[in-house]
Amino acid sequence: MNDLTLRPISGAGELGLFSRLPYVLNAELAGDLAAGRRRPEWVWVALRGEELVARVAWWTRTAGDGPLVMDFLDVAEGESADTGVRLLEAAMAAVLPRGERPPEYMRFVPPGWREDADVRRGVEDRMRMVERTGGRLFVERLRLEWRRGTAVPEPSGRLAFRGVRDRADLVGLMTQVLDGTLDAHSRDDLTRMPAERAAEQQYEEELARYTSPREWWRVATLPDGGEPVGFVIPARNAYNPIIAYIAVLPAHRGKGYVDDILAEGTRVLAAQDAADVPRIRASTDLGNVPMAQAFERAGYVNFERQIDMTWA
């Protein structure tokens, strides 16, 4: 263990070194670093001589913000998990503010990751490394994808749709939908702050930062009086067109309106140029069965899962 070198990369010139271990996010590293979503001092390696034996890195949504998630944690085949823990502890001490709750750990895994013994071992080994630093499993999520050519239903006529009038309009609706939410992150927020504050925080830290047109955002209403039923936020992040948020208000749940709302959000994005929207991405908690079923009915495919772990 004493022959290990633990350090951040020096810059973009060492991304090739960092990428020697395989992972789906390797292809995004250069763009993220150039855009400020990563910084060299957040991208750490463990080296034995010139050999990469472990790595860890953090990401953020917007340049200038602090680390939002830890999304790389890998140990080379045959290397002890102790090396990964040692690297993680050193990097966390250098990167993260002392005394603050560390950002979540997030890992994309195959949808059937438990069914393949080798894949499962790798996922569980990473989870145990996080656990050894005080982390715990928070939630498992479905990553979903609509692919160009998949049919999009015509409007059923059960709902009408209007644009979002302003910040207060959407934050008010977001506050209402937190009542009875099945989303693990939202439920966690509600243990620490009132619903209105949680809605404001998500709006400011996520929705307001999308640079795609706000004209895409839709509020679903009853056709006879304009009473809001729910909303959907089609958007584009730095990587893909997405359904950023979809919800039905508590008074209107259980009536199948989520299908109409999701179809509208999908139509908004599918109507854009095919070259710009070859696919639409979305995600929901594995335990949010009604929402997962709605995406399945709409033709979205579960192409990956996501493991989220958190620290107390």
Side-chain angles (χ1 to χ4, degrees), residues 9 15 18 25 29 37-45 54-60 67 69-74 87-88 91 95 104-106:
I9 64 170
L15 287 180
F18 186 82
L25 293 183
L29 285 165
R37 293 185 291 270
R38 298 189 194 274
R39 303 179 193 171
E41 60 267 28
W42 296 354
V43 181
W44 278 63
V45 294
R55 63 180 183 173
V56 63
W58 285 265
W59 172 93
T60 195
V69 295
M70 184 180 80
D71 58 348
F72 278 88
L73 176 60
D74 293 291
L87 174 64
L88 179 53
V95 172
E104 286 188 4
Y105 167 58
M106 179 188 74

PDB file of all heavy atoms in Angstrom, residues 9 15 18 25 29 37-45 54-60 67 69-74 87-88 91 95 104-106:
ATOM      1  N   ILE A   9      -5.796  14.696 -10.963  1.00  0.00           N
ATOM      2  CA  ILE A   9      -5.131  14.830 -12.259  1.00  0.00           C
ATOM      3  C   ILE A   9      -4.640  16.264 -12.430  1.00  0.00           C
ATOM      4  O   ILE A   9      -5.135  17.193 -11.785  1.00  0.00           O
ATOM      5  CB  ILE A   9      -6.061  14.431 -13.422  1.00  0.00           C
ATOM      6  CG1 ILE A   9      -7.275  15.377 -13.517  1.00  0.00           C
ATOM      7  CG2 ILE A   9      -6.502  12.982 -13.295  1.00  0.00           C
ATOM      8  CD1 ILE A   9      -8.102  15.191 -14.788  1.00  0.00           C
ATOM      9  N   LEU A  15      -6.701  13.009 -18.833  1.00  0.00           N
ATOM     10  CA  LEU A  15      -7.971  12.294 -18.929  1.00  0.00           C
ATOM     11  C   LEU A  15      -7.795  10.901 -19.518  1.00  0.00           C
ATOM     12  O   LEU A  15      -8.549   9.977 -19.189  1.00  0.00           O
ATOM     13  CB  LEU A  15      -8.974  13.096 -19.759  1.00  0.00           C
ATOM     14  CG  LEU A  15      -9.552  14.345 -19.083  1.00  0.00           C
ATOM     15  CD1 LEU A  15     -10.533  15.038 -20.016  1.00  0.00           C
ATOM     16  CD2 LEU A  15     -10.235  13.995 -17.762  1.00  0.00           C
ATOM     17  N   PHE A  18      -6.958   8.728 -16.630  1.00  0.00           N
ATOM     18  CA  PHE A  18      -8.130   8.489 -15.794  1.00  0.00           C
ATOM     19  C   PHE A  18      -9.098   7.513 -16.466  1.00  0.00           C
ATOM     20  O   PHE A  18      -9.782   6.737 -15.781  1.00  0.00           O
ATOM     21  CB  PHE A  18      -8.828   9.824 -15.509  1.00  0.00           C
ATOM     22  CG  PHE A  18      -9.971   9.728 -14.553  1.00  0.00           C
ATOM     23  CD1 PHE A  18      -9.761   9.719 -13.191  1.00  0.00           C
ATOM     24  CD2 PHE A  18     -11.285   9.642 -15.018  1.00  0.00           C
ATOM     25  CE1 PHE A  18     -10.824   9.624 -12.288  1.00  0.00           C
ATOM     26  CE2 PHE A  18     -12.355   9.541 -14.132  1.00  0.00           C
ATOM     27  CZ  PHE A  18     -12.121   9.537 -12.766  1.00  0.00           C
ATOM     28  N   LEU A  25     -19.511   6.807 -18.567  1.00  0.00           N
ATOM     29  CA  LEU A  25     -19.315   8.259 -18.484  1.00  0.00           C
ATOM     30  C   LEU A  25     -17.939   8.715 -18.955  1.00  0.00           C
ATOM     31  O   LEU A  25     -17.687   9.926 -19.032  1.00  0.00           O
ATOM     32  CB  LEU A  25     -19.555   8.744 -17.054  1.00  0.00           C
ATOM     33  CG  LEU A  25     -20.989   8.636 -16.537  1.00  0.00           C
ATOM     34  CD1 LEU A  25     -21.093   9.221 -15.135  1.00  0.00           C
ATOM     35  CD2 LEU A  25     -21.966   9.336 -17.474  1.00  0.00           C
ATOM     36  N   LEU A  29     -16.165  12.953 -20.170  1.00  0.00           N
ATOM     37  CA  LEU A  29     -15.216  13.627 -19.294  1.00  0.00           C
ATOM     38  C   LEU A  29     -14.641  14.904 -19.910  1.00  0.00           C
ATOM     39  O   LEU A  29     -14.580  15.944 -19.254  1.00  0.00           O
ATOM     40  CB  LEU A  29     -14.077  12.671 -18.933  1.00  0.00           C
ATOM     41  CG  LEU A  29     -14.420  11.590 -17.901  1.00  0.00           C
ATOM     42  CD1 LEU A  29     -13.362  10.497 -17.911  1.00  0.00           C
ATOM     43  CD2 LEU A  29     -14.549  12.201 -16.511  1.00  0.00           C
ATOM     44  N   ARG A  37     -18.116  21.560 -15.573  1.00  0.00           N
ATOM     45  CA  ARG A  37     -18.918  20.647 -14.753  1.00  0.00           C
ATOM     46  C   ARG A  37     -18.026  19.709 -13.943  1.00  0.00           C
ATOM     47  O   ARG A  37     -18.493  19.057 -13.013  1.00  0.00           O
ATOM     48  CB  ARG A  37     -19.875  19.846 -15.642  1.00  0.00           C
ATOM     49  CG  ARG A  37     -20.961  20.712 -16.295  1.00  0.00           C
ATOM     50  CD  ARG A  37     -21.974  19.885 -17.062  1.00  0.00           C
ATOM     51  NE  ARG A  37     -21.407  19.277 -18.258  1.00  0.00           N
ATOM     52  CZ  ARG A  37     -21.393  19.836 -19.462  1.00  0.00           C
ATOM     53  NH1 ARG A  37     -21.912  21.056 -19.636  1.00  0.00           N
ATOM     54  NH2 ARG A  37     -20.865  19.209 -20.507  1.00  0.00           N
ATOM     55  N   ARG A  38     -16.771  19.636 -14.319  1.00  0.00           N
ATOM     56  CA  ARG A  38     -15.751  18.971 -13.518  1.00  0.00           C
ATOM     57  C   ARG A  38     -14.549  19.902 -13.417  1.00  0.00           C
ATOM     58  O   ARG A  38     -14.349  20.778 -14.263  1.00  0.00           O
ATOM     59  CB  ARG A  38     -15.308  17.646 -14.154  1.00  0.00           C
ATOM     60  CG  ARG A  38     -16.401  16.619 -14.279  1.00  0.00           C
ATOM     61  CD  ARG A  38     -15.856  15.256 -14.720  1.00  0.00           C
ATOM     62  NE  ARG A  38     -16.939  14.401 -15.153  1.00  0.00           N
ATOM     63  CZ  ARG A  38     -17.655  13.635 -14.345  1.00  0.00           C
ATOM     64  NH1 ARG A  38     -17.394  13.625 -13.048  1.00  0.00           N
ATOM     65  NH2 ARG A  38     -18.634  12.881 -14.817  1.00  0.00           N
ATOM     66  N   ARG A  39     -13.761  19.690 -12.398  1.00  0.00           N
ATOM     67  CA  ARG A  39     -12.504  20.425 -12.239  1.00  0.00           C
ATOM     68  C   ARG A  39     -11.393  19.397 -12.018  1.00  0.00           C
ATOM     69  O   ARG A  39     -11.630  18.348 -11.405  1.00  0.00           O
ATOM     70  CB  ARG A  39     -12.573  21.362 -11.035  1.00  0.00           C
ATOM     71  CG  ARG A  39     -13.707  22.368 -11.083  1.00  0.00           C
ATOM     72  CD  ARG A  39     -13.708  23.224  -9.832  1.00  0.00           C
ATOM     73  NE  ARG A  39     -14.945  23.984  -9.702  1.00  0.00           N
ATOM     74  CZ  ARG A  39     -15.284  24.690  -8.622  1.00  0.00           C
ATOM     75  NH1 ARG A  39     -14.449  24.718  -7.580  1.00  0.00           N
ATOM     76  NH2 ARG A  39     -16.421  25.338  -8.584  1.00  0.00           N
ATOM     77  N   PRO A  40     -10.182  19.674 -12.480  1.00  0.00           N
ATOM     78  CA  PRO A  40      -9.098  18.705 -12.270  1.00  0.00           C
ATOM     79  C   PRO A  40      -8.922  18.314 -10.811  1.00  0.00           C
ATOM     80  O   PRO A  40      -8.643  17.151 -10.505  1.00  0.00           O
ATOM     81  CB  PRO A  40      -7.861  19.435 -12.809  1.00  0.00           C
ATOM     82  CG  PRO A  40      -8.420  20.376 -13.843  1.00  0.00           C
ATOM     83  CD  PRO A  40      -9.747  20.834 -13.295  1.00  0.00           C
ATOM     84  N   GLU A  41      -9.125  19.260  -9.901  1.00  0.00           N
ATOM     85  CA  GLU A  41      -8.928  18.948  -8.479  1.00  0.00           C
ATOM     86  C   GLU A  41     -10.030  18.058  -7.902  1.00  0.00           C
ATOM     87  O   GLU A  41      -9.918  17.582  -6.774  1.00  0.00           O
ATOM     88  CB  GLU A  41      -8.823  20.241  -7.657  1.00  0.00           C
ATOM     89  CG  GLU A  41     -10.036  21.147  -7.713  1.00  0.00           C
ATOM     90  CD  GLU A  41      -9.962  22.226  -8.794  1.00  0.00           C
ATOM     91  OE1 GLU A  41      -9.290  21.989  -9.817  1.00  0.00           O
ATOM     92  OE2 GLU A  41     -10.566  23.289  -8.585  1.00  0.00           O
ATOM     93  N   TRP A  42     -11.097  17.801  -8.690  1.00  0.00           N
ATOM     94  CA  TRP A  42     -12.156  16.873  -8.273  1.00  0.00           C
ATOM     95  C   TRP A  42     -11.958  15.481  -8.880  1.00  0.00           C
ATOM     96  O   TRP A  42     -12.753  14.583  -8.604  1.00  0.00           O
ATOM     97  CB  TRP A  42     -13.517  17.366  -8.738  1.00  0.00           C
ATOM     98  CG  TRP A  42     -13.989  18.655  -8.159  1.00  0.00           C
ATOM     99  CD1 TRP A  42     -13.415  19.401  -7.171  1.00  0.00           C
ATOM    100  CD2 TRP A  42     -15.172  19.368  -8.551  1.00  0.00           C
ATOM    101  NE1 TRP A  42     -14.156  20.524  -6.931  1.00  0.00           N
ATOM    102  CE2 TRP A  42     -15.247  20.536  -7.753  1.00  0.00           C
ATOM    103  CE3 TRP A  42     -16.175  19.128  -9.490  1.00  0.00           C
ATOM    104  CZ2 TRP A  42     -16.288  21.453  -7.879  1.00  0.00           C
ATOM    105  CZ3 TRP A  42     -17.209  20.048  -9.612  1.00  0.00           C
ATOM    106  CH2 TRP A  42     -17.264  21.203  -8.805  1.00  0.00           C
ATOM    107  N   VAL A  43     -10.952  15.302  -9.700  1.00  0.00           N
ATOM    108  CA  VAL A  43     -10.763  14.053 -10.456  1.00  0.00           C
ATOM    109  C   VAL A  43      -9.478  13.395  -9.952  1.00  0.00           C
ATOM    110  O   VAL A  43      -8.377  13.844 -10.268  1.00  0.00           O
ATOM    111  CB  VAL A  43     -10.696  14.344 -11.969  1.00  0.00           C
ATOM    112  CG1 VAL A  43     -10.521  13.056 -12.764  1.00  0.00           C
ATOM    113  CG2 VAL A  43     -11.951  15.090 -12.431  1.00  0.00           C
ATOM    114  N   TRP A  44      -9.615  12.324  -9.174  1.00  0.00           N
ATOM    115  CA  TRP A  44      -8.491  11.745  -8.454  1.00  0.00           C
ATOM    116  C   TRP A  44      -8.134  10.346  -8.959  1.00  0.00           C
ATOM    117  O   TRP A  44      -9.010   9.591  -9.396  1.00  0.00           O
ATOM    118  CB  TRP A  44      -8.823  11.656  -6.959  1.00  0.00           C
ATOM    119  CG  TRP A  44      -8.602  12.962  -6.243  1.00  0.00           C
ATOM    120  CD1 TRP A  44      -9.241  14.142  -6.460  1.00  0.00           C
ATOM    121  CD2 TRP A  44      -7.665  13.206  -5.191  1.00  0.00           C
ATOM    122  NE1 TRP A  44      -8.774  15.109  -5.611  1.00  0.00           N
ATOM    123  CE2 TRP A  44      -7.812  14.567  -4.816  1.00  0.00           C
ATOM    124  CE3 TRP A  44      -6.732  12.409  -4.520  1.00  0.00           C
ATOM    125  CZ2 TRP A  44      -7.043  15.140  -3.803  1.00  0.00           C
ATOM    126  CZ3 TRP A  44      -5.964  12.979  -3.510  1.00  0.00           C
ATOM    127  CH2 TRP A  44      -6.117  14.337  -3.159  1.00  0.00           C
ATOM    128  N   VAL A  45      -6.848  10.038  -8.873  1.00  0.00           N
ATOM    129  CA  VAL A  45      -6.354   8.723  -9.284  1.00  0.00           C
ATOM    130  C   VAL A  45      -5.485   8.133  -8.182  1.00  0.00           C
ATOM    131  O   VAL A  45      -4.860   8.866  -7.400  1.00  0.00           O
ATOM    132  CB  VAL A  45      -5.540   8.805 -10.591  1.00  0.00           C
ATOM    133  CG1 VAL A  45      -6.432   9.204 -11.754  1.00  0.00           C
ATOM    134  CG2 VAL A  45      -4.359   9.786 -10.455  1.00  0.00           C
ATOM    135  N   ALA A  54      -7.007   2.783  -9.158  1.00  0.00           N
ATOM    136  CA  ALA A  54      -8.296   3.220  -8.629  1.00  0.00           C
ATOM    137  C   ALA A  54      -8.527   4.662  -9.056  1.00  0.00           C
ATOM    138  O   ALA A  54      -7.576   5.388  -9.404  1.00  0.00           O
ATOM    139  CB  ALA A  54      -8.362   3.085  -7.111  1.00  0.00           C
ATOM    140  N   ARG A  55      -9.806   5.084  -9.026  1.00  0.00           N
ATOM    141  CA  ARG A  55     -10.127   6.454  -9.406  1.00  0.00           C
ATOM    142  C   ARG A  55     -11.437   6.870  -8.735  1.00  0.00           C
ATOM    143  O   ARG A  55     -12.279   6.025  -8.394  1.00  0.00           O
ATOM    144  CB  ARG A  55     -10.248   6.598 -10.923  1.00  0.00           C
ATOM    145  CG  ARG A  55     -11.383   5.782 -11.522  1.00  0.00           C
ATOM    146  CD  ARG A  55     -11.475   5.960 -13.023  1.00  0.00           C
ATOM    147  NE  ARG A  55     -12.614   5.214 -13.568  1.00  0.00           N
ATOM    148  CZ  ARG A  55     -13.013   5.286 -14.835  1.00  0.00           C
ATOM    149  NH1 ARG A  55     -12.373   6.061 -15.694  1.00  0.00           N
ATOM    150  NH2 ARG A  55     -14.060   4.592 -15.245  1.00  0.00           N
ATOM    151  N   VAL A  56     -11.594   8.165  -8.566  1.00  0.00           N
ATOM    152  CA  VAL A  56     -12.818   8.730  -7.997  1.00  0.00           C
ATOM    153  C   VAL A  56     -12.964  10.143  -8.557  1.00  0.00           C
ATOM    154  O   VAL A  56     -11.959  10.815  -8.836  1.00  0.00           O
ATOM    155  CB  VAL A  56     -12.768   8.740  -6.453  1.00  0.00           C
ATOM    156  CG1 VAL A  56     -11.647   9.624  -5.936  1.00  0.00           C
ATOM    157  CG2 VAL A  56     -14.096   9.184  -5.860  1.00  0.00           C
ATOM    158  N   ALA A  57     -14.204  10.590  -8.773  1.00  0.00           N
ATOM    159  CA  ALA A  57     -14.403  11.932  -9.312  1.00  0.00           C
ATOM    160  C   ALA A  57     -15.789  12.446  -8.958  1.00  0.00           C
ATOM    161  O   ALA A  57     -16.730  11.673  -8.738  1.00  0.00           O
ATOM    162  CB  ALA A  57     -14.208  11.954 -10.833  1.00  0.00           C
ATOM    163  N   TRP A  58     -15.894  13.776  -8.947  1.00  0.00           N
ATOM    164  CA  TRP A  58     -17.158  14.457  -8.689  1.00  0.00           C
ATOM    165  C   TRP A  58     -17.582  15.280  -9.907  1.00  0.00           C
ATOM    166  O   TRP A  58     -16.765  15.642 -10.750  1.00  0.00           O
ATOM    167  CB  TRP A  58     -17.020  15.386  -7.484  1.00  0.00           C
ATOM    168  CG  TRP A  58     -16.990  14.695  -6.169  1.00  0.00           C
ATOM    169  CD1 TRP A  58     -18.039  14.468  -5.324  1.00  0.00           C
ATOM    170  CD2 TRP A  58     -15.844  14.136  -5.507  1.00  0.00           C
ATOM    171  NE1 TRP A  58     -17.632  13.806  -4.199  1.00  0.00           N
ATOM    172  CE2 TRP A  58     -16.282  13.585  -4.280  1.00  0.00           C
ATOM    173  CE3 TRP A  58     -14.501  14.036  -5.845  1.00  0.00           C
ATOM    174  CZ2 TRP A  58     -15.416  12.960  -3.384  1.00  0.00           C
ATOM    175  CZ3 TRP A  58     -13.640  13.412  -4.958  1.00  0.00           C
ATOM    176  CH2 TRP A  58     -14.100  12.882  -3.743  1.00  0.00           C
ATOM    177  N   TRP A  59     -18.862  15.606  -9.959  1.00  0.00           N
ATOM    178  CA  TRP A  59     -19.487  16.354 -11.064  1.00  0.00           C
ATOM    179  C   TRP A  59     -20.436  17.376 -10.473  1.00  0.00           C
ATOM    180  O   TRP A  59     -20.981  17.190  -9.382  1.00  0.00           O
ATOM    181  CB  TRP A  59     -20.242  15.365 -11.947  1.00  0.00           C
ATOM    182  CG  TRP A  59     -21.110  15.942 -13.049  1.00  0.00           C
ATOM    183  CD1 TRP A  59     -20.737  16.167 -14.346  1.00  0.00           C
ATOM    184  CD2 TRP A  59     -22.495  16.316 -12.964  1.00  0.00           C
ATOM    185  NE1 TRP A  59     -21.810  16.669 -15.057  1.00  0.00           N
ATOM    186  CE2 TRP A  59     -22.894  16.769 -14.244  1.00  0.00           C
ATOM    187  CE3 TRP A  59     -23.445  16.319 -11.932  1.00  0.00           C
ATOM    188  CZ2 TRP A  59     -24.191  17.224 -14.511  1.00  0.00           C
ATOM    189  CZ3 TRP A  59     -24.730  16.776 -12.186  1.00  0.00           C
ATOM    190  CH2 TRP A  59     -25.094  17.220 -13.468  1.00  0.00           C
ATOM    191  N   THR A  60     -20.680  18.458 -11.219  1.00  0.00           N
ATOM    192  CA  THR A  60     -21.704  19.419 -10.844  1.00  0.00           C
ATOM    193  C   THR A  60     -22.504  19.820 -12.069  1.00  0.00           C
ATOM    194  O   THR A  60     -22.055  19.619 -13.208  1.00  0.00           O
ATOM    195  CB  THR A  60     -21.101  20.657 -10.152  1.00  0.00           C
ATOM    196  OG1 THR A  60     -22.137  21.385  -9.491  1.00  0.00           O
ATOM    197  CG2 THR A  60     -20.386  21.572 -11.166  1.00  0.00           C
ATOM    198  N   PRO A  67     -19.215  20.544  -5.806  1.00  0.00           N
ATOM    199  CA  PRO A  67     -19.532  19.182  -6.247  1.00  0.00           C
ATOM    200  C   PRO A  67     -20.969  18.800  -5.896  1.00  0.00           C
ATOM    201  O   PRO A  67     -21.412  18.996  -4.767  1.00  0.00           O
ATOM    202  CB  PRO A  67     -18.535  18.316  -5.469  1.00  0.00           C
ATOM    203  CG  PRO A  67     -17.449  19.246  -5.043  1.00  0.00           C
ATOM    204  CD  PRO A  67     -18.088  20.576  -4.856  1.00  0.00           C
ATOM    205  N   VAL A  69     -22.498  15.562  -7.185  1.00  0.00           N
ATOM    206  CA  VAL A  69     -22.530  14.111  -6.990  1.00  0.00           C
ATOM    207  C   VAL A  69     -21.131  13.546  -7.216  1.00  0.00           C
ATOM    208  O   VAL A  69     -20.339  14.094  -7.992  1.00  0.00           O
ATOM    209  CB  VAL A  69     -23.520  13.386  -7.941  1.00  0.00           C
ATOM    210  CG1 VAL A  69     -24.949  13.776  -7.663  1.00  0.00           C
ATOM    211  CG2 VAL A  69     -23.161  13.617  -9.391  1.00  0.00           C
ATOM    212  N   MET A  70     -20.842  12.443  -6.563  1.00  0.00           N
ATOM    213  CA  MET A  70     -19.664  11.644  -6.859  1.00  0.00           C
ATOM    214  C   MET A  70     -20.126  10.551  -7.818  1.00  0.00           C
ATOM    215  O   MET A  70     -20.957   9.712  -7.447  1.00  0.00           O
ATOM    216  CB  MET A  70     -19.089  11.020  -5.589  1.00  0.00           C
ATOM    217  CG  MET A  70     -17.809  10.243  -5.819  1.00  0.00           C
ATOM    218  SD  MET A  70     -17.173   9.525  -4.292  1.00  0.00           S
ATOM    219  CE  MET A  70     -18.214   8.076  -4.132  1.00  0.00           C
ATOM    220  N   ASP A  71     -19.619  10.568  -9.037  1.00  0.00           N
ATOM    221  CA  ASP A  71     -20.146   9.643 -10.044  1.00  0.00           C
ATOM    222  C   ASP A  71     -19.096   8.706 -10.633  1.00  0.00           C
ATOM    223  O   ASP A  71     -19.405   7.952 -11.556  1.00  0.00           O
ATOM    224  CB  ASP A  71     -20.853  10.406 -11.170  1.00  0.00           C
ATOM    225  CG  ASP A  71     -19.966  11.422 -11.875  1.00  0.00           C
ATOM    226  OD1 ASP A  71     -18.862  11.716 -11.363  1.00  0.00           O
ATOM    227  OD2 ASP A  71     -20.373  11.932 -12.923  1.00  0.00           O
ATOM    228  N   PHE A  72     -17.900   8.743 -10.120  1.00  0.00           N
ATOM    229  CA  PHE A  72     -16.871   7.757 -10.480  1.00  0.00           C
ATOM    230  C   PHE A  72     -16.305   7.172  -9.194  1.00  0.00           C
ATOM    231  O   PHE A  72     -15.931   7.902  -8.280  1.00  0.00           O
ATOM    232  CB  PHE A  72     -15.714   8.394 -11.256  1.00  0.00           C
ATOM    233  CG  PHE A  72     -15.961   8.575 -12.727  1.00  0.00           C
ATOM    234  CD1 PHE A  72     -16.567   9.732 -13.204  1.00  0.00           C
ATOM    235  CD2 PHE A  72     -15.562   7.607 -13.644  1.00  0.00           C
ATOM    236  CE1 PHE A  72     -16.780   9.906 -14.556  1.00  0.00           C
ATOM    237  CE2 PHE A  72     -15.770   7.775 -14.994  1.00  0.00           C
ATOM    238  CZ  PHE A  72     -16.384   8.933 -15.468  1.00  0.00           C
ATOM    239  N   LEU A  73     -16.247   5.853  -9.135  1.00  0.00           N
ATOM    240  CA  LEU A  73     -15.537   5.133  -8.079  1.00  0.00           C
ATOM    241  C   LEU A  73     -15.212   3.756  -8.636  1.00  0.00           C
ATOM    242  O   LEU A  73     -16.098   2.928  -8.806  1.00  0.00           O
ATOM    243  CB  LEU A  73     -16.393   5.015  -6.809  1.00  0.00           C
ATOM    244  CG  LEU A  73     -15.775   4.187  -5.676  1.00  0.00           C
ATOM    245  CD1 LEU A  73     -14.445   4.777  -5.220  1.00  0.00           C
ATOM    246  CD2 LEU A  73     -16.747   4.063  -4.500  1.00  0.00           C
ATOM    247  N   ASP A  74     -13.943   3.538  -8.961  1.00  0.00           N
ATOM    248  CA  ASP A  74     -13.538   2.285  -9.597  1.00  0.00           C
ATOM    249  C   ASP A  74     -12.204   1.820  -9.038  1.00  0.00           C
ATOM    250  O   ASP A  74     -11.324   2.638  -8.723  1.00  0.00           O
ATOM    251  CB  ASP A  74     -13.389   2.476 -11.113  1.00  0.00           C
ATOM    252  CG  ASP A  74     -14.712   2.764 -11.794  1.00  0.00           C
ATOM    253  OD1 ASP A  74     -15.549   1.860 -11.853  1.00  0.00           O
ATOM    254  OD2 ASP A  74     -14.902   3.911 -12.245  1.00  0.00           O
ATOM    255  N   LEU A  87      -8.195   5.797  -1.382  1.00  0.00           N
ATOM    256  CA  LEU A  87      -8.285   6.903  -2.332  1.00  0.00           C
ATOM    257  C   LEU A  87      -9.500   7.766  -2.027  1.00  0.00           C
ATOM    258  O   LEU A  87      -9.421   9.006  -2.027  1.00  0.00           O
ATOM    259  CB  LEU A  87      -8.367   6.366  -3.762  1.00  0.00           C
ATOM    260  CG  LEU A  87      -8.609   7.418  -4.847  1.00  0.00           C
ATOM    261  CD1 LEU A  87      -7.441   8.398  -4.931  1.00  0.00           C
ATOM    262  CD2 LEU A  87      -8.846   6.754  -6.203  1.00  0.00           C
ATOM    263  N   LEU A  88     -10.638   7.121  -1.786  1.00  0.00           N
ATOM    264  CA  LEU A  88     -11.859   7.871  -1.528  1.00  0.00           C
ATOM    265  C   LEU A  88     -11.715   8.756  -0.300  1.00  0.00           C
ATOM    266  O   LEU A  88     -12.092   9.933  -0.316  1.00  0.00           O
ATOM    267  CB  LEU A  88     -13.028   6.895  -1.364  1.00  0.00           C
ATOM    268  CG  LEU A  88     -14.399   7.492  -1.064  1.00  0.00           C
ATOM    269  CD1 LEU A  88     -14.784   8.551  -2.082  1.00  0.00           C
ATOM    270  CD2 LEU A  88     -15.458   6.389  -1.016  1.00  0.00           C
ATOM    271  N   ALA A  91      -9.370  11.719  -1.166  1.00  0.00           N
ATOM    272  CA  ALA A  91      -9.998  12.677  -2.071  1.00  0.00           C
ATOM    273  C   ALA A  91     -11.096  13.456  -1.368  1.00  0.00           C
ATOM    274  O   ALA A  91     -11.217  14.682  -1.543  1.00  0.00           O
ATOM    275  CB  ALA A  91     -10.546  11.947  -3.292  1.00  0.00           C
ATOM    276  N   VAL A  95     -11.272  17.462  -1.243  1.00  0.00           N
ATOM    277  CA  VAL A  95     -12.243  18.103  -2.130  1.00  0.00           C
ATOM    278  C   VAL A  95     -13.421  18.713  -1.382  1.00  0.00           C
ATOM    279  O   VAL A  95     -13.905  19.795  -1.735  1.00  0.00           O
ATOM    280  CB  VAL A  95     -12.757  17.082  -3.180  1.00  0.00           C
ATOM    281  CG1 VAL A  95     -13.919  17.656  -3.986  1.00  0.00           C
ATOM    282  CG2 VAL A  95     -11.620  16.654  -4.100  1.00  0.00           C
ATOM    283  N   GLU A 104     -24.042  13.012  -2.833  1.00  0.00           N
ATOM    284  CA  GLU A 104     -24.415  11.630  -3.072  1.00  0.00           C
ATOM    285  C   GLU A 104     -23.404  10.930  -3.985  1.00  0.00           C
ATOM    286  O   GLU A 104     -22.753  11.564  -4.809  1.00  0.00           O
ATOM    287  CB  GLU A 104     -25.794  11.547  -3.739  1.00  0.00           C
ATOM    288  CG  GLU A 104     -26.933  11.846  -2.810  1.00  0.00           C
ATOM    289  CD  GLU A 104     -28.283  11.568  -3.453  1.00  0.00           C
ATOM    290  OE1 GLU A 104     -28.323  11.076  -4.604  1.00  0.00           O
ATOM    291  OE2 GLU A 104     -29.300  11.857  -2.797  1.00  0.00           O
ATOM    292  N   TYR A 105     -23.326   9.635  -3.817  1.00  0.00           N
ATOM    293  CA  TYR A 105     -22.643   8.774  -4.782  1.00  0.00           C
ATOM    294  C   TYR A 105     -23.687   8.220  -5.738  1.00  0.00           C
ATOM    295  O   TYR A 105     -24.735   7.731  -5.320  1.00  0.00           O
ATOM    296  CB  TYR A 105     -21.937   7.620  -4.073  1.00  0.00           C
ATOM    297  CG  TYR A 105     -21.466   6.518  -4.998  1.00  0.00           C
ATOM    298  CD1 TYR A 105     -20.582   6.780  -6.039  1.00  0.00           C
ATOM    299  CD2 TYR A 105     -21.912   5.211  -4.825  1.00  0.00           C
ATOM    300  CE1 TYR A 105     -20.153   5.776  -6.885  1.00  0.00           C
ATOM    301  CE2 TYR A 105     -21.482   4.191  -5.664  1.00  0.00           C
ATOM    302  CZ  TYR A 105     -20.605   4.479  -6.700  1.00  0.00           C
ATOM    303  OH  TYR A 105     -20.188   3.476  -7.537  1.00  0.00           O
ATOM    304  N   MET A 106     -23.424   8.300  -7.037  1.00  0.00           N
ATOM    305  CA  MET A 106     -24.356   7.847  -8.058  1.00  0.00           C
ATOM    306  C   MET A 106     -23.622   6.951  -9.039  1.00  0.00           C
ATOM    307  O   MET A 106     -22.547   7.299  -9.521  1.00  0.00           O
ATOM    308  CB  MET A 106     -24.942   9.046  -8.812  1.00  0.00           C
ATOM    309  CG  MET A 106     -25.908   8.690  -9.920  1.00  0.00           C
ATOM    310  SD  MET A 106     -26.363  10.163 -10.895  1.00  0.00           S
ATOM    311  CE  MET A 106     -24.854  10.403 -11.842  1.00  0.00           C
TER     312      MET A 106
END
